[in-house]
Amino acid sequence: MSHGINILMYHQIGEFAPMKAHRSTYCRVDRFAAQMAWLHRFGYHVLSMDEVLACVTGEMAIPERAVALTFDDGYENFYEHAWPVLQRYQFPAMVYLIAGLIGKPSEWFARDGRDTPPLMSAERIRQLRREGCDFGGHSVNHVKLAEQDSATIRREVSDCKAMLEDLLGEVVPHFCYPYGSHDIRAVEAVAEAGYTCATTCLRAPATPADDPLTLPRKAVSYGDTLVGVLWKMHLKNTSKHPPIRRAEFALSAGS
């Protein structure tokens, strides 16, 4: 495994009927439990996203076998199925919340003819925060930011931050681009809003060469066995697309 941080990306965790489409937003709970048991048994260092940020900015050395666990959208099934497993091993986790859809159905699934599982309520989010779960922003309305005009991008990221900070009563420094959709306008808007760390869907380990606002992740989906996840972690280290970086980080990466 390269000397970086494998930030794993999950969506829903639970019991699901076999599927052929949209597999990237589902993970079977039995497989999730097996993955977490493996990380624990073989001494992987599961980092919080605060620790990931400290590593990529040089404030903290990257430990061997470094992993971080992120969960997009904030589904209620995270609480039901993933959180008990994470608590068993005392693993930190980051859940990215859609600020305008808290407590509502995941309505964008309806466009694909899928069920619309509920997103966590404000009460559930506060409960999990008290229990140690970390939360970040995932926009207000779960839109593809790179397809929006600049004013909409700024509203989506800054209003999200304000809404979540009001809900949690604390600063929210972490963000995740919905659908992985971002361009330099989105990255700069995230910086202007005051976020210090943000994740994408580009597949690679996170390293100090990365812009902290465009950190790569590796997706775990319905079809991934334990062997498949380990293969992604240890061998799938090259992104299909070049990363978007702000000018100061593009210069440092090339130097």
Side-chain angles (χ1 to χ4, degrees):
M1 183 164 60
S2 63
H3 191 59
I5 305 166
N6 281 293
I7 305 175
L8 300 182
M9 173 177 62
Y10 294 90
H11 288 76
Q12 296 187 73
I13 309 294
E15 301 285 352
F16 307 109
M19 65 188 73
K20 294 183 179 180
H22 310 295
R23 290 154 69 93
S24 64
T25 53
Y26 302 86
C27 179
R28 286 171 37 180
V29 65
D30 58 334
R31 288 183 171 176
F32 177 75
Q35 293 158 21
M36 296 304 103
W38 180 275
L39 297 180
H40 180 263
R41 179 179 179 184
F42 290 96
Y44 285 78
H45 289 88
V46 181
L47 306 177
S48 69
M49 286 305 296
D50 283 342
E51 291 172 322
V52 169
L53 178 60
C55 287
V56 299
T57 56
E59 298 176 13
M60 172 179 163
I62 300 176
E64 292 295 325
R65 297 186 175 186
V67 178
L69 306 172
T70 65
F71 300 80
D72 290 12
D73 306 333
Y75 301 95
E76 175 66 13
N77 57 38
F78 168 84
Y79 170 74
E80 181 180 358
H81 296 294
W83 188 237
V85 177
L86 295 167
Q87 286 188 304
R88 182 184 312 157
Y89 301 114
Q90 297 185 309
F91 285 166
M94 170 63 68
V95 178
Y96 295 111
L97 300 169
I98 306 165
L101 296 179
I102 287 170
K104 298 180 180 179
S106 48
E107 57 190 29
W108 66 95
F109 282 179
R111 293 194 293 269
D112 301 319
R114 289 187 280 169
D115 292 338
T116 55
L119 303 175
M120 288 188 284
S121 66
E123 292 75 15
R124 178 73 75 209
I125 292 163
R126 293 189 189 103
Q127 173 197 345
L128 284 172
R129 185 70 189 108
R130 290 192 298 270
E131 295 177 7
C133 187
D134 295 326
F135 292 99
H138 199 39
S139 81
V140 176
N141 296 298
H142 201 252
V143 296
K144 294 182 179 180
L145 294 176
E147 298 179 1
Q148 311 303 312
D149 61 70
S150 295
T152 300
I153 293 172
R154 288 193 294 272
R155 286 196 301 272
E156 285 286 333
V157 300
S158 61
D159 289 359
C160 173
K161 192 172 194 292
M163 293 165 72
L164 294 180
E165 289 179 347
D166 183 61
L167 187 158
L168 293 166
E170 63 185 16
V171 174
V172 175
H174 296 273
F175 187 79
C176 172
Y177 302 95
Y179 305 99
S181 175
H182 65 293
D183 55 17
I184 193 60
R185 298 174 306 146
V187 178
E188 290 174 346
V190 167
E192 291 168 8
Y195 296 99
T196 54
C197 184
T199 53
T200 70
C201 295
L202 295 179
R203 185 188 64 208
T207 74
D210 286 302
D211 184 332
L213 294 186
T214 57
L215 297 180
R217 294 187 294 172
K218 298 181 179 181
V220 180
S221 65
Y222 180 83
D224 288 333
T225 62
L226 176 58
V227 171
V229 172
L230 293 173
W231 178 71
K232 287 181 177 181
M233 290 172 58
H234 289 261
L235 297 174
K236 298 293 285 186
N237 294 316
T238 303
S239 174
K240 294 180 180 179
H241 304 285
I244 295 171
R245 292 176 173 142
R246 289 168 290 169
E248 60 268 34
F249 295 96
L251 291 172
S252 62
S255 62

